[in-house]
Amino acid sequence: MVAFVRWLGPRWSAALGVLVAVALVGGIALQMAYPDAEWRQSAQVALAWLALAGLGVALMARVAPSGRRRIVLAFSPGLALVALGVVLPELADFLVGAGIGWMIAAQIIFRSPTSMTYQTAVRHLHRNELPEAIAVMDQLIEGQPDDAEHYRFRAELYRLQGGLDRAQRDYERAIKHAPDQPGGYLGLAELHIQQGEFDRAQDYAEQALVRDPSSWTAPYNLGLVADRQGDAASAIAALEQALKARIPDARYRLLAYLWLARAYLRRGQTPAARKQLEVMRKHDGALDEWRVLLASEQAAPLRDLLARDIDLAARLIDGAVPLDALTAPANEEKAQ
């Protein structure tokens, strides 16, 4: 459930939570206020329909275009059956159960073989068999050449392999096939960050944010870019937006607080910087997550980009270096 909420994003999770709460509270209120009313059950079924329809809309908004057909095939008949329960209250229990059952069963019946192909590619990835994982995606793209998500995922594999030019081409193809989706733009932003091309990275991250304003990833990348460029004001604005969007993983929150502390220190706001350091100390367990992650062979791009920040965060949390180390030059910081 937690993973689903993270995938759905804060905006859609909040909206769906409100609908579910309205359906539950409204249903209980109707039961208590009008226990004998003939229309009570129909009203309760209508509230349930509203919550289920909201779930369908949220899924349609979050899945890639290629996955929307499966959502329609699952929810259209299911919602129709539940709606019949409104006008046929004597059959409401059966119809609502059948409708929900169809929605669940349809996810299995209409499950695309594409998901199995991705699982095969991911297994190769976990074994560090990048050429084999890429070959699996090559075959998938050959059969489904218009799916933007296939290109985005293959681009990630190319990045891990060090094939940055090929990764860039695939991200661009992802944008071509799904210009309204943020994935390709985010990929290009991260690719240019990896290459130290921060102006281009900023441009793509901003385009990703336009397409998904509720995302934490785009403002997080903008905060990283602003940190590297020494733009304290922009770093603060972007990172506070990312934190407000609820960065899901503690290890990413840790770095956001580190960059915020540096930005405040650059602006001469030492008390605010110290406050960020105190929050960092509550996330010290994330350091172990970073160490495990960076030790893997697939983490070379992350090591080059973030290892120094993670090491500095560890020394700040332990008190091995003063807060001023955040803005010290690299060689001076190392000496401390």
Side-chain angles (χ1 to χ4, degrees), residues 40 46 57 79 110 122 179 322:
R40 174 189 54 78
V57 171
L79 288 173
F110 298 117
V122 169

Side-chain angles (χ1 to χ4, degrees), residues 116-231:
M116 302 298 293
T117 305
Y118 271 93
Q119 290 177 20
T120 301
V122 169
R123 280 197 295 271
H124 285 303
L125 175 60
H126 288 165
R127 298 170 189 158
N128 202 35
E129 299 169 348
L130 289 173
E132 290 81 357
I134 291 171
V136 170
M137 294 307 299
D138 289 343
Q139 293 179 359
L140 185 57
I141 288 171
E142 184 178 351
Q144 301 176 6
D146 297 326
D147 194 307
E149 183 60 20
H150 300 346
Y151 292 106
R152 189 205 61 78
F153 185 74
R154 190 173 67 176
E156 300 290 330
L157 298 174
Y158 278 135
R159 278 178 63 195
L160 292 172
Q161 195 182 43
L164 300 187
D165 289 341
R166 291 182 175 182
Q168 179 170 334
R169 285 196 295 271
D170 270 357
Y171 284 132
E172 290 169 350
R173 288 166 180 157
I175 291 172
K176 176 183 176 182
H177 290 290
D180 295 329
Q181 296 295 314
Y185 300 96
L186 281 173
L188 284 174
E190 293 169 359
L191 183 67
H192 288 301
I193 288 172
Q194 184 179 338
Q195 295 173 310
E197 299 170 347
F198 296 119
D199 288 339
R200 298 187 70 185
Q202 179 180 350
D203 178 60
Y204 283 116
E206 288 173 348
Q207 292 187 64
L209 186 59
V210 168
R211 285 155 178 81
D212 188 3
S214 66
S215 166
W216 68 268
T217 317
Y220 179 87
N221 283 326
L222 287 169
L224 169 56
V225 167
D227 175 79
R228 296 302 193 259
Q229 292 177 323
D231 185 348

Side-chain angles (χ1 to χ4, degrees), residues 10-333:
R11 183 177 63 177
W12 282 108
S13 296
L16 192 57
V18 169
L19 281 177
V20 171
V22 167
L24 289 174
V25 174
I28 293 171
L30 288 170
Q31 181 69 39
M32 295 176 64
Y34 305 99
D36 299 321
E38 295 182 0
W39 51 265
R40 174 189 54 78
Q41 190 170 28
S42 293
Q44 290 174 316
V45 173
L47 288 172
W49 185 93
L50 181 66
L52 291 169
L55 174 60
V57 171
L59 292 175
M60 287 286 287
R62 295 301 294 169
V63 301
S66 60
R68 290 172 185 167
R69 181 175 178 271
R70 184 156 60 106
I71 302 299
V72 171
L73 289 172
F75 275 78
S76 295
L79 288 173
L81 287 168
V82 176
L84 281 175
V86 176
V87 297
L88 299 173
E90 66 276 10
L91 298 175
D93 290 342
F94 169 76
L95 290 169
V96 171
I100 295 175
W102 170 259
M103 293 179 192
I104 296 172
Q107 299 303 313
I108 300 172
I109 295 171
F110 298 117
R111 186 178 183 183
S112 170
T114 299
S115 61
M116 302 298 293
T117 305
Y118 271 93
Q119 290 177 20
T120 301
V122 169
R123 280 197 295 271
H124 285 303
L125 175 60
H126 288 165
R127 298 170 189 158
N128 202 35
E129 299 169 348
L130 289 173
E132 290 81 357
I134 291 171
V136 170
M137 294 307 299
D138 289 343
Q139 293 179 359
L140 185 57
I141 288 171
E142 184 178 351
Q144 301 176 6
D146 297 326
D147 194 307
E149 183 60 20
H150 300 346
Y151 292 106
R152 189 205 61 78
F153 185 74
R154 190 173 67 176
E156 300 290 330
L157 298 174
Y158 278 135
R159 278 178 63 195
L160 292 172
Q161 195 182 43
L164 300 187
D165 289 341
R166 291 182 175 182
Q168 179 170 334
R169 285 196 295 271
D170 270 357
Y171 284 132
E172 290 169 350
R173 288 166 180 157
I175 291 172
K176 176 183 176 182
H177 290 290
D180 295 329
Q181 296 295 314
Y185 300 96
L186 281 173
L188 284 174
E190 293 169 359
L191 183 67
H192 288 301
I193 288 172
Q194 184 179 338
Q195 295 173 310
E197 299 170 347
F198 296 119
D199 288 339
R200 298 187 70 185
Q202 179 180 350
D203 178 60
Y204 283 116
E206 288 173 348
Q207 292 187 64
L209 186 59
V210 168
R211 285 155 178 81
D212 188 3
S214 66
S215 166
W216 68 268
T217 317
Y220 179 87
N221 283 326
L222 287 169
L224 169 56
V225 167
D227 175 79
R228 296 302 193 259
Q229 292 177 323
D231 185 348
S234 296
I236 291 170
L239 293 167
E240 287 185 345
Q241 182 178 355
L243 289 165
K244 186 177 180 180
R246 299 179 184 177
I247 300 174
D249 295 315
R251 61 179 182 271
Y252 293 116
R253 292 197 299 272
L254 174 69
L255 290 180
Y257 291 124
L258 175 76
W259 299 329
L260 269 176
R262 180 149 51 212
Y264 282 123
L265 204 60
R266 283 170 170 164
R267 290 173 63 88
Q269 298 174 255
T270 303
R274 291 191 184 282
K275 184 178 178 180
Q276 302 305 317
L277 177 57
E278 291 304 313
V279 180
M280 284 171 57
R281 290 195 169 110
K282 298 177 182 178
H283 288 70
D284 60 343
L287 291 169
D288 292 331
E289 294 181 31
W290 274 120
R291 291 180 183 118
V292 171
L293 180 63
L294 295 185
S296 69
E297 293 182 33
Q298 300 161 2
L302 283 177
R303 278 196 298 272
D304 295 339
L305 182 64
L306 301 176
R308 180 169 166 263
D309 282 331
I310 294 165
D311 178 65
L312 177 57
R315 289 187 288 151
L316 283 167
I317 289 171
D318 291 341
V321 294
L323 189 64
D324 290 345
L326 277 166
T327 55
N331 55 351
E332 180 182 335
E333 175 197 316

